[in-house]
Amino acid sequence: MMRNLMKFASIPVFATALALAACADQQGSNPLTGVGEATFGKTSTGTAGWGKGGKKANGPQVTGVAADGTVRSWRIGTGKLPDPTNLKGDATIGREGGYIFTQGHVLLVPPGAVTEPTYFKIQAQNVTSVETVPVAVELKAYRIAATGETIDVGEQGFQRPVYLAMSYEWAQETLSIGLTGATVVWVKAPGSAEEVRTRTIDYNGKWIVAELSHFSIYGLAWPE
């Protein structure tokens, strides 16, 4: 328990450092347009679309387009959740920016990414029938319009990139394979994924950081 407390205590320092780096990197950058990508939803069984593969100790396999444009296969990392009793982090974040986290994963919303107060949530993926689960999260962002309409900000995209730092500390692959080839993939559908831009690797010895323009399910993956 003390080890977990020490690990989570380092998150505010990490988030601050990443925020400063993100702000410097975004000076003069053009706003992103909404991408309108579909969110990979939950299945009828209640799991987050992992299907039978999500219950395997070696993690579900996904295939899709890599960052260099080639078609590749990855396997989502797996491990034991550091805190199975607390699977999500959420907060209302506005123009000033902020961060939320769960299970060591950190979502950073830099200043200017949204123009109005927006509800953000990061949800760890869990398969309740097994102890070893995918190292993956589902991200959501909503706001309520003056008309009462719920606007899916996460699906539409952001004014500036947001950053997802995925912890590899509790992934069993870290010990068996190491970090070679580790990346973050957008899980588009069962068995289908797309590699996202990885901004920083091995930041502070615990995280792989991905730059995101919209929300869905993302997983920490190793090449097959």
Side-chain angles (χ1 to χ4, degrees):
M1 177 63 71
M2 181 59 69
R3 181 172 177 270
N4 283 343
L5 289 175
M6 291 176 64
K7 175 178 61 180
F8 291 131
S10 68
I11 286 176
V13 177
F14 167 68
T16 300
L18 182 56
L20 292 173
C23 289
D25 186 58
Q26 291 175 0
Q27 292 298 321
S29 63
N30 294 322
L32 298 176
T33 57
V35 293
E37 298 287 1
T39 297
F40 175 31
K42 295 184 181 298
T43 65
S44 58
T45 61
T47 62
W50 298 112
K52 294 181 180 179
K55 298 184 181 181
K56 293 181 180 179
N58 60 353
Q61 183 183 29
V62 291
T63 300
V65 180
D68 61 5
T70 61
V71 176
R72 298 184 188 176
S73 292
W74 302 271
R75 195 166 289 279
I76 304 296
T78 57
K80 296 180 181 179
L81 292 169
D83 183 7
T85 64
N86 186 17
L87 297 178
K88 75 172 184 178
D90 61 339
T92 297
I93 298 173
R95 183 188 294 271
E96 72 283 356
Y99 70 93
I100 54 177
F101 65 93
T102 187
Q103 307 302 325
H105 309 307
V106 184
L107 174 67
L108 174 75
V109 183
V114 293
T115 58
E116 300 179 48
T118 303
Y119 172 74
F120 284 84
K121 183 175 80 168
I122 179 171
Q123 177 87 35
Q125 299 302 283
N126 188 19
V127 182
T128 56
S129 60
V130 292
E131 193 175 47
T132 302
V133 301
V135 184
V137 294
E138 182 174 14
L139 305 175
K140 290 185 178 295
Y142 294 99
R143 67 179 175 84
I144 306 299
T147 60
E149 176 190 5
T150 299
I151 299 174
D152 190 340
V153 179
E155 182 177 282
Q156 293 181 352
F158 303 95
Q159 296 298 308
R160 290 188 172 189
V162 298
Y163 296 94
L164 173 63
M166 298 205 70
S167 172
Y168 55 76
E169 189 174 30
W170 55 274
Q172 61 185 8
E173 286 77 9
T174 303
L175 295 176
S176 61
I177 303 175
L179 287 179
T180 303
T183 189
V184 176
V185 296
W186 163 30
V187 184
K188 303 172 71 172
S192 175
E194 181 178 315
E195 186 177 16
V196 298
R197 180 184 175 187
T198 301
R199 186 175 183 277
T200 308
I201 297 179
D202 199 18
Y203 190 101
N204 203 27
K206 293 181 180 178
W207 292 278
I208 293 181
V209 182
E211 182 179 296
L212 307 181
S213 59
H214 76 283
F215 280 176
S216 186
I217 290 180
Y218 294 89
L220 186 59
W222 276 260
E224 273 283 85

